[in-house]
Amino acid sequence: MNNVIRKRGQHSYPKKKILCLVSNTASLHGMEVGFFAEEMTRPFYDFIIAGYDVDVASPNGGAVKFDGHSNPENPAGAYPNDLISIGFVHHKEFGKWMQNTKPISEINVNDYDAVCVAGGGAPLITFKYDAKLHKLIADFYEAGKITCLICHGTSLLLWTRLSDGALLADGKTWTGFADSEEAMINQMFGMTVNEYTIETEARKNPNTTFEVAGALEPFAVRDGRLITAQQQHSSYLASQLVIEALSE
């Protein structure tokens, strides 16, 4: 007896506009770090396939770079089969954006339905003291927009405060890069890479619920308008949750 499996998907979605936000570059232990390739390009791809309009921005604007570790065209990188990121940088239009992202000073929250923030090596450095970026994320959330943060991009929940002074993370359930995964990075590089970790800092907040799956396991959480994803392997889960939320 044959087992017949039929699966249907959705082809057309309501028209939406998304802001993909990435970090500018920074120096970490003498290495130039940027954003994790797949954490921007996979959601970007999923949003384009859904028919959305997508912009790419960074706090300062201008040129941005993939982390060397995540760059599929880096011979020493770990993700040579990331075809989506390869396709993005070689696309005749999208690839140009890596050289000239919009600065957040030019972003009007009302132009967008959602924001999706990538992680990587730089966010723990560049996002921490960026009050304008914290306010932008708070503005997106308070304007009723879907707010999606991936991997180290979720560090924004450690600092982003709403207009009433409360942390956006207060009363929320969320995830982010786990201490177990930080330990793997430390072992890989033979040093303590980051001076603080998202999980350790999040657990200091008694008003929030921070959850993680096993190291490198795909895991994402939606709590109302807030969507968070644990690491790069969770990027596709994050974009699925964004598309589902925008289809409601």
Side-chain angles (χ1 to χ4, degrees):
M1 181 177 178
N2 292 332
N3 291 321
V4 178
I5 298 173
R6 295 179 177 85
K7 184 173 177 60
R8 296 182 185 274
Q10 188 171 346
H11 175 63
S12 54
Y13 296 84
K15 190 70 171 179
K16 302 293 180 182
K17 188 170 184 179
I18 314 295
L19 181 68
C20 283
L21 183 63
V22 300
S23 175
N24 297 103
T25 57
S27 178
L28 180 63
H29 302 293
M31 299 180 294
E32 185 180 58
V33 288
F35 68 95
F36 200 105
E38 183 183 349
E39 291 169 14
M40 185 276 276
T41 63
R42 176 58 195 262
F44 181 98
Y45 176 79
D46 291 341
F47 298 150
I48 290 292
I49 292 300
Y52 298 166
D53 294 325
V54 187
D55 286 337
V56 178
S58 63
N60 300 329
V64 294
K65 291 184 178 181
F66 294 154
D67 279 332
H69 175 68
S70 72
N71 184 347
E73 296 185 308
N74 176 8
Y79 298 89
N81 298 325
D82 181 2
L83 301 182
I84 291 177
S85 295
I86 293 172
F88 182 90
V89 295
H90 290 285
H91 189 279
K92 62 181 181 180
E93 294 298 331
F94 304 153
K96 296 175 186 176
W97 296 355
M98 294 283 287
Q99 306 307 316
N100 191 27
T101 56
K102 288 187 175 186
I104 62 173
S105 60
E106 295 181 5
I107 297 300
N108 182 343
V109 170
N110 296 324
D111 291 341
Y112 299 92
D113 299 288
V115 61
C116 185
V117 182
L124 290 184
I125 302 167
T126 64
F127 287 0
K128 186 173 185 178
Y129 300 108
D130 193 336
K132 292 179 180 178
L133 175 58
H134 303 169
K135 184 178 186 302
L136 180 74
I137 297 303
D139 288 347
F140 262 96
Y141 186 80
E142 292 192 302
K145 313 293 185 175
I146 301 299
T147 304
C148 175
L149 312 170
I150 298 173
C151 194
H152 284 102
T154 65
S155 63
L156 285 167
L157 294 178
L158 301 176
W159 317 298
T160 297
R161 292 187 179 274
L162 303 177
S163 54
D164 63 2
L167 283 167
L168 172 52
D170 286 354
K172 302 293 191 302
T173 298
W174 58 289
T175 188
F177 202 63
D179 280 356
S180 61
E181 293 160 338
E182 293 282 3
M184 295 173 70
I185 289 180
N186 293 343
Q187 185 175 21
M188 184 188 310
F189 287 95
M191 67 172 115
T192 300
V193 174
N194 294 309
E195 64 180 27
Y196 67 96
T197 68
I198 294 169
E199 179 172 359
T200 295
E201 294 303 309
R203 295 197 187 283
K204 294 177 182 177
N205 180 355
N207 302 315
T208 199
T209 302
F210 186 85
E211 300 178 350
V212 292
L216 303 183
E217 291 182 9
F219 182 62
V221 177
R222 179 183 173 192
D223 187 342
R225 298 191 303 280
L226 179 66
I227 294 168
T228 51
Q230 185 169 323
Q231 56 346 54
Q232 68 272 21
H233 302 300
S234 313
S235 301
Y236 77 99
L237 296 178
S239 52
Q240 286 178 14
L241 287 172
V242 170
I243 292 168
E244 289 171 8
L246 292 175
S247 298
E248 292 173 354

